[in-house]
Amino acid sequence: MKLKLLVLVLLSSCALAANAHDACMANGQASAEMNADAGTNPAAADRELNTVYQQVLLKHAMDKNFIRKLRAAQRAWLAYRDAELAARYPDPDPRTAYGCVYPDCAAGLKARLIHARISQLRMWLVGVAEGDVCAGSLPIVGDPD
């Protein structure tokens, strides 16, 4: 009796997994479109990041020490981004371990990390308010009021 119940449970699990896989495959294109529309497209975010990074390099080209340090920071940030993704999804076979939503989830996380870096880099373009005693090398703009 227990063996029959176990076989029934296993067969039901396989059928559910097959249905879930089919639903994932059918939803694949819709998910990619949703990512692009929701601003979670890492390729688009990467292009924006590269544009902003190049603008910062151009604006501060005369400050060789800053450029050297910024390049080192960017390399470290790229390593951080990749390590953060690997830590969130450490399984060697992420599609099996995290399901069909893994590509969408990983893409969303990567895009959020990139957007945060874009915000950090933009500060070297737009500056910070006068009176910010922790501004460091960031440009100072405007009146503190």
Side-chain angles (χ1 to χ4, degrees):
M1 179 65 174
K2 288 182 183 180
L3 180 60
K4 287 181 183 178
L5 183 58
L6 178 62
V7 169
L8 183 60
V9 168
L10 288 174
L11 288 175
S12 296
S13 297
C14 290
L16 288 174
N19 288 340
H21 180 267
D22 292 344
C24 284
M25 293 299 106
N27 191 33
Q29 181 61 35
S31 294
E33 290 168 3
M34 287 187 336
N35 277 345
D37 292 341
T40 57
N41 181 339
D46 240 353
R47 286 189 298 274
E48 183 180 359
L49 174 67
N50 289 329
T51 298
V52 171
Y53 181 70
Q54 292 302 319
Q55 290 170 344
V56 173
L57 290 174
L58 191 62
K59 181 175 181 175
H60 299 277
M62 299 305 289
D63 187 346
K64 301 302 181 194
N65 188 43
F66 168 75
I67 296 297
R68 185 172 47 79
K69 302 269 182 162
L70 179 66
R71 285 188 170 137
Q74 190 65 10
R75 282 190 301 275
W77 178 83
L78 289 167
Y80 159 76
R81 180 202 62 195
D82 295 345
E84 186 69 16
L85 283 163
R88 178 75 67 98
Y89 303 107
D91 196 279
D93 185 8
R95 275 203 173 254
T96 301
Y98 309 113
C100 65
V101 297
Y102 163 73
D104 294 336
C105 296
L109 174 60
K110 186 174 185 179
R112 286 189 303 277
L113 292 168
I114 294 169
H115 284 294
R117 181 63 177 157
I118 291 168
S119 294
Q120 294 165 355
L121 290 173
R122 280 193 198 280
M123 293 183 69
W124 273 290
L125 297 174
V126 299
V128 295
E130 187 175 345
D132 185 341
V133 297
C134 297
S137 65
L138 294 171
I140 304 295
V141 294
D143 190 352
D145 296 331

